[in-house]
Amino acid sequence: MTGPTISVRALSKSFYDEFRGEVRAVDGIDFACLPGQIFGLLGANGAGKTTTLRMLATILKPTSGEASLLGHDVVADPEAVRRNLGFYSASTALYPRLTARETLEFFARVNRYPGERVTERVDYLVERFGIAEYADARVDKLSSGMKQKVSIARTVAHDPPVLIFDEPTVGLDVLNALEMQDVIRHLRDDGKTILFSTHIMSEAEKLCDHIAIIHRGKILASNTLDGMRRDTGKHYLEDIFVAYVGGRKEIEAAERAALGAQER
Amino acid sequence: MAGGREVLWTLFRCEIRMLLRDKRTIFIGVILPLFLFPAIILVTRAVEERERVSLESATYYYAVTGTQRDLAGTLVRDALTRRAATADTSQPALHIEESQVAEPDSALRTGGIHLVVEGMAPDEWRTVRDEEERARRERAVTSGRGDDSEAAPAADEADDVEVPVLRLHYRDNSQRSGAAMREVRDALRDLRGEQRERLFRERGFPLDPADVAALEANNLATREEEAGALIGILLAPLIVMMMLTGGSIVAADAIAGEKERGTLETLLTTAARRWEVVWAKQLSVVAVGVVVTLINMLNLLVYVMLGVFELPEDFAVSVTPATLVVLLLLYLPLALLVSSAQLLLSGVSKTYKEYQFNFFPVFLLLLIPAFAAVLPGIELRSAVVLVPVANVAVASREVLTGEFHWLALGAAFFVNVMASAYAARLTVGTLSTERLITAAELDRAELLGGPALFPRRVLTWFGVLWALLLVTSLWFGEHVGIRGQVTFNLGVLFFGGALLMMRRYRLDPRSTLALRAPPAAAWLAVLVGAPSGLVTGVGVARLAQLVFPVPEEVVESFGQYLLPDELPLWQIVFFLCVLPGICEEIAFRGVLLHGLRRRFHPVVLCLVVGAIFGFFHVSLFRLIPTAYVGVLLSAVVVLTGSIFPAMLWHALNNATALVPARLGLWEGEQLPEGVLPLGIAGLAVSFWILWRTRRLYPGLRE
């Protein structure tokens, strides 16, 4: 077995907020994500999940610490990191005036997928994600479910070995959320390594091979679900989460702080 | 694996493809202007023609009044007859008839007649003129305006006229009345000229130029050179304007639009490098800008050929291929610079709307230097070569008139390339600016509102206050006098505005206005510092004079305005010392400083608050000295954590400046020898005390 696909060591990120002063969104976290694994980053709103994933996707620069993807450092070699990565989040939108097929072709090319194989890859994705029916329709004419499929297909357009899904089911209805979970599972079965963030416990319970609980920018626990059950003596992930975090009041307080609690 | 060039091409093709599919933008940005501008010109021309025909075909009526009415009537009739006889088809005489109305003034008011000619004897005219002059002065005093606000009524002769005067009464708000006055005036002048000439001849004065000295102007410039000078002046503004309007079709969407849609984050997680993204976008802005400019130029040519646009007579253009190449070399970096500026604007804008909002200032910033060639005597071999855009404007004129220097052209080329590269580099930086990448997300401060939102809004509020201050002082300042203006500015704008902001954002007055007890030693520091600050302020004002020289009269008239003789001393102390000490401090060192305290480092904070305070004094020559005092006052609040010492300092500063001046003890601008070093020492001691006993303003940025 080779080393971890994603490796994070003492990673921190501080922001300067005009009102709250310096905010440590991520505070010295460590974790490792093994090949072919779905690694779940579980935390309440504002816990630091998105900031962590954005640092791994090289959109944000870490304040300190190290992170690497397939051995490529996110600061020293961001292009190599992004070449091997597909990033999906509720906020990563599509170009409305391109067709579904053009979208896939565009993302395959800008992610440096070999030019001569782009058409073949696009045809495969159209087939694989069942979007043939509307492949030549403009994205702004598609329903939200269709857009979701195109969006996932564009995430894997260049066939990256690592995928990051940041709260992928936020805003989706039940059917689309379930379909998204199926897609993630199938991608894992295809051999992809998946880093997945959510605040929905049932999702993490169903999908993740390994879970890290993140709270106030720190990782409080990192284990398999069974391991966490053993450590806490609780069965359901909700209870496990509350036990690690230190009670419901603490979760509420953290969410308020993340929203920018007022200081007089 | 795909190379950098393929990625660049893919990004570029995507931009262009999306633009071409945006039919509404193409229609509004490209197609509509092609027809709109000529349509406006045609309509304007048609309206003008209709007006001209209507004015020419109308009949105009005039009445003759006054003690010299018979003479006046004869003169007007003679003049009009003469004019009708000499008029040609290019400028036909208007049809003007005399009217016998009982009440000429009332008929003129109601539009029954268009002109009243009043014949007056010389003494009579002088009396009327003196009365009108006196009445005008009285009006000026009551309205607070200066003496020169209205022109005195005057005949077009000297004061000591000894011939009858014809006064033409008309109403300038009526086109026909104005036209009738001009026609009769010109006819009378022609007649007078003719009579004068006849009298000269009768008295034997030589009127033939050959008897005095013949004069002839000989233009050595060819028609092509003249046209070159004209095009040279217009080319740069025209191209900059077209590039800006054309390029902005893509630029607005390129980054700001992508942020708003959420596609920028998608793009930035791809393997495309930041510079590849910026280059591709810049390329598309340049390409579209150039294409739109070419389309507009061709359009212009077509309309010139169709006669929609008229060129000056004898207009001839001769541009050699070499000149064209030189111009292309000059305009290429300019096109890059314009597109870089637009893309940078798009990069720093969070949304499409914000781009549009910011576009106009950038448009002006680039367009104004493009008019540099209009300035008389300006040459490329001067400091202007270092000013991007302006150097191309001047270079164009020199190239088209054939008077250029290769070295200067090369320098202009280089300067624009460097400026463009720098702007592109800044744009790459905006793609790495984390706040802007995530700006499309729900803003926490927006969500919370109240005190969290205030730091984001405080500058907008002060911008609005400044605009109100400017408008009211320009429109009403002279009418309400110093007391009224001070009461409005301080009481309504500053105090009222501060209260409104605190209420709107639920700000705690105690912490917002820094209503805290200062260290006791701060009072001593204020007593030493306030007069010292004023003295050093005069020194700063002198230095500022070197940069912005202000005529002595402006300073004097301002002093007169600020310290009018009729204002008693207690009112000077109240309106100009106590009230500013309270109200201005509440607004600037209270609300403004509180709102900005976390945005800037404390030193920068003091400079920014001071500069804004200076700008609120709405006068270039007061800007630097008042900003200086503003910086000192901000520093006092930052070091004591309290607004009270700054209030006392401010009041003392004004009192030290104004009271001795009011009592005639000190002129304000002339410092006795040795006082300036004393002031510097006093200020140093004051701030040393403040520093040693500091109780810092809470919540400052570290």
Side-chain angles (χ1 to χ4, degrees), chain A residues 17-33:
Chain A
D17 185 281
E18 275 167 29
F19 194 78
R20 294 182 295 156
E22 191 169 299
V23 177
R24 283 182 85 83
V26 175
D27 195 0
I29 60 170
D30 298 89
F31 67 85
C33 185

Side-chain angles (χ1 to χ4, degrees), chain B residues 656-670:
Chain B
T656 319
L658 298 173
V659 174
R662 179 71 179 82
L663 298 173
L665 301 174
W666 181 43
E667 287 304 316
E669 292 299 317
Q670 288 112 34

Side-chain angles (χ1 to χ4, degrees), chain B residues 440-477:
Chain B
E441 293 180 351
L442 186 63
D443 195 309
R444 277 205 308 269
E446 296 278 357
L447 192 71
L448 286 165
L453 191 56
F454 182 61
R456 303 266 171 91
R457 297 282 184 271
V458 61
L459 286 178
T460 312
W461 274 85
F462 273 82
V464 172
L465 285 183
W466 186 81
L468 282 173
L469 182 94
L470 191 69
V471 168
T472 51
S473 64
L474 285 176
W475 287 1
F476 308 114

